[in-house]
Amino acid sequence: MAFPDEPASHLPLLWVSSPSRLKPGLDEESKLPAGFAVAGRAAEQIFIEFEAPFAGFVAEPRDYKVQIQVRVGHRKGWRPLLTFTLRGANIIDPERYTVYSNAPLVLTKEDRQKADAALLELLTGHQDVSASDEREQRDGTASGGP
């Protein structure tokens, strides 16, 4: 999954697992990423979890153009499969970008407040990590330093 219109998003998010449903139980294991065949003119429903470090890119409560890329068995390299709008303002938990409607204007005022609080928490955590990394580099305490 890539953010083609975001210059700060250098790396695509990688497929890390496939849960059996949107909210799997604690005892349910997710499947690891693996190729799968889809017969011509058929459709498959698969839940996919993506993950990647956001080096220089922190999501904001706004819409994003997102592209799902695939490798097709008989072709080389990655190819765009579909592009859609990811409605970032609907994400109300800073730890999990899942199980939220991607439809526009579905958040209540209360959910919008939760979304704003979650974004603030996410941004504060990102700034804390960045400040710590800066301090380590300045002090020479980062791994590989003197």
Side-chain angles (χ1 to χ4, degrees):
M1 183 166 83
F3 295 81
D5 292 344
E6 301 303 318
S9 175
H10 303 292
L11 300 173
L13 281 81
L14 301 177
W15 175 11
V16 294
S17 67
S18 297
S20 59
R21 54 192 171 133
L22 283 178
K23 288 187 175 183
L26 295 175
D27 59 339
E28 293 180 62
E29 288 189 29
S30 293
K31 297 178 192 172
L32 294 174
F36 57 94
V38 178
R41 298 186 181 190
E44 294 285 331
Q45 179 177 327
I46 299 175
F47 300 108
I48 296 178
E49 292 181 341
F50 294 95
E51 182 177 280
F54 289 105
F57 175 69
V58 177
E60 297 175 8
R62 64 177 179 84
D63 292 352
Y64 287 95
K65 177 180 174 182
V66 175
Q67 186 176 74
I68 302 296
Q69 300 173 349
V70 297
R71 291 194 67 181
V72 181
H74 64 286
R75 299 214 174 149
K76 292 183 180 182
W78 292 92
R79 308 235 177 227
L81 174 67
L82 65 103
T83 302
F84 64 95
T85 301
L86 176 65
R87 308 212 182 271
N90 292 2
I91 299 166
I92 59 175
D93 183 341
E95 301 298 320
R96 298 188 60 138
Y97 293 105
T98 187
V99 196
Y100 299 103
S101 172
N102 200 40
L105 306 173
V106 296
L107 291 181
T108 64
K109 184 177 179 181
E110 181 180 303
D111 282 344
R112 174 67 68 193
Q113 290 172 340
K114 286 181 187 177
D116 291 344
L119 177 65
L120 182 61
E121 183 179 331
L122 182 67
L123 290 173
T124 302
H126 180 73
Q127 289 169 349
D128 291 346
V129 169
S130 295
S132 173
D133 289 347
E134 242 178 62
R135 248 189 326 277
E136 286 178 359
Q137 288 176 355
R138 186 178 56 245
D139 298 341
T141 56
S143 60

